[in-house]
Amino acid sequence: MTRMPVSLPQQTGAFKTMRRDAWYVQPVAVFLGLLFFVVYSTWAAFQGEYYFHDHYLSPFYAPTLWDAPGVDSGHSWFGPWPTWMPAWVPASPALFILWAPGLFRFTCYYYRGAYYKSFWADPVSCSVGEPRKSYWGERWFPLILQNLHRYFLYVALLFIFILSYDAFLGLWHTNEATGETEFGVGIGTIVLTVNAILLAGYTLGCHSLRHLVGGKCDSVSNAPMGKKTYDCVSCLNSRHMLFAWMSLFWVGFADFYVRMCAMGVWTDWRLF
Ligand code: FES
């Protein structure tokens, strides 16, 4: 059979396309969503205050290795701000831990595809012209570092336990009249619990985890447990984008909720 090359009509040049649909809506929405989150989370991480309210702890500050200077949150693993800490270190506990979930998300396969398109238009969308001619790929420095994602996964799995424990702590409240600690569910308890669930849904649907539990080879493991766990992770993986956005929005909201309660702007309603 003779094969004939067929050339499709196309427009070349940055952002040129023959598409008639609103292809730019998604990259612009992703750009704005990610930008908003990065700005807010950076601002919140540098605050070093209003990161806890009663037994609630903001997920941006979990785990709290050391409390901020002059603060006793009751959540600190190693006590107060160390005296040996150099003066140039910003006095915020969030800065010690946020690198882990931050790099996990930054190197996530979904987010890579999203910010490659929306932040540096590479490519901005299917069959839309790119502003550059070279192709970097992920086999060379610096993008080859994206492959560290599989190692950040182990740290991210730890964070599921830490944030679940913090949600559990949110079941206890201080009775303002008696000073006693009592069991109960407040809006904050629900906010922190949903945060842990969404984070688990996002992390347990990770492509690297799917590869890890599926047998680590180019074919799926035949072991019964291997196949079962592979199918479970695949189920979450098929909704990975959804969990990525929901967990991103909710973790920011959880910090905002705790912050508002700590500042006395919002009251944490108790359901019982
Ligand atoms: Fe998205 Fe691993 S691929 S979290």
Side-chain angles (χ1 to χ4, degrees), residues 7 9 47 103 109 159 165 178 255 262:
S7 48
Q47 292 308 295
L103 287 175
Y109 289 85
F159 271 72
Y165 180 65
T178 64
D255 173 84

Side-chain angles (χ1 to χ4, degrees), residues 104 107-111 149 153 202-203 205-209 240:
F104 180 61
T107 56
C108 162
Y109 289 85
Y110 164 68
Y111 283 117
H149 182 69
L153 167 67
Y202 169 62
T203 307
C206 171
H207 289 72
S208 295
L209 181 64
H240 197 50

Side-chain angles (χ1 to χ4, degrees), residues 13 30 38 57 83 91 118 132 150 167 179 188 192 196 198 200 216 222 228 233 241 258:
V30 168
V38 168
L57 177 65
T83 50
S118 58
R132 65 186 66 77
R150 67 199 66 176
L192 295 181
L198 291 177
K216 294 191 275 184
N222 286 330
K228 198 114 195 116
V233 176
M241 182 177 83
V258 172

